[in-house]
């Protein structure tokens, strides 16, 4: 199968070749406010074919990792729970959403499918 990696401004709709079978975004949503994340996920949903899949993640708040990111990386992260991630994906239009959290409780992973018309 053909595979194309696209990089650029995630809010530039023209960079999303249409239609897509899969969109993967890991470690990006943590740096978006709620409105930006919602807009980004809606854009991903719109770019997918019916039955297409979105793979994404959300960081859970953990005292040690938060300290390291703030103090050494000077990085401000927007933490979201597994339930938050699930809700964002549903609000973007995804009908089938499966989310799991790693065994340490640091990261949630989601597989979301665009429904059929």
């Amino acid at each position: 199968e053909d595979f194309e990696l696209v990089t650029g401004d995630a809010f530039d709709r023209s960079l999303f070749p249409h239609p897509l079978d899969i969109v993967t975004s890991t470690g990006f949503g943590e740096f978006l406010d709620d409105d930006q994340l919602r807009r980004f996920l809606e854009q991903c949903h719109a770019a997918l074919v019916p039955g297409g899949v979105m793979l994404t993640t959300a960081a859970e708040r953990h005292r040690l990792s938060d300290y390291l990111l703030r103090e050494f990386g000077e990085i401000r992260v927007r933490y979201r729970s597994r339930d938050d991630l699930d809700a964002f994906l549903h609000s973007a239009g995804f009908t089938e959403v499966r989310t799991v959290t790693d065994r340490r409780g640091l990261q949630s992973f989601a597989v979301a499918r665009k429904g059929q018309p």
Side-chain angles (χ1 to χ4, degrees), residues 37-113:
L37 179 59
R38 190 171 292 106
R39 193 172 93 212
F40 173 68
L41 294 174
E42 287 170 352
Q43 186 166 288
C44 292
H45 181 270
L48 287 166
V49 298
V53 174
M54 171 87 189
L55 305 171
T56 192
T57 62
E60 300 266 352
R61 183 178 300 278
H62 184 272
R63 189 175 55 87
L64 179 58
S65 60
D66 185 53
Y67 171 77
L68 293 172
L69 287 168
R70 282 184 295 111
E71 297 302 318
F72 296 105
E74 297 182 8
I75 298 172
R76 301 291 181 245
V77 176
R78 290 193 166 84
Y79 297 101
R80 295 183 176 95
S81 70
R82 174 182 171 176
D83 291 341
D84 293 337
L85 182 57
D86 187 81
F88 271 100
L89 288 163
H90 276 104
S91 73
F94 291 96
T95 54
E96 297 175 41
V97 178
R98 289 182 297 142
T99 55
V100 297
T101 302
D102 69 56
R103 62 187 174 107
R104 303 240 187 256
L106 298 175
Q107 193 82 18
S108 293
F109 303 89
V111 178
R113 185 174 303 277

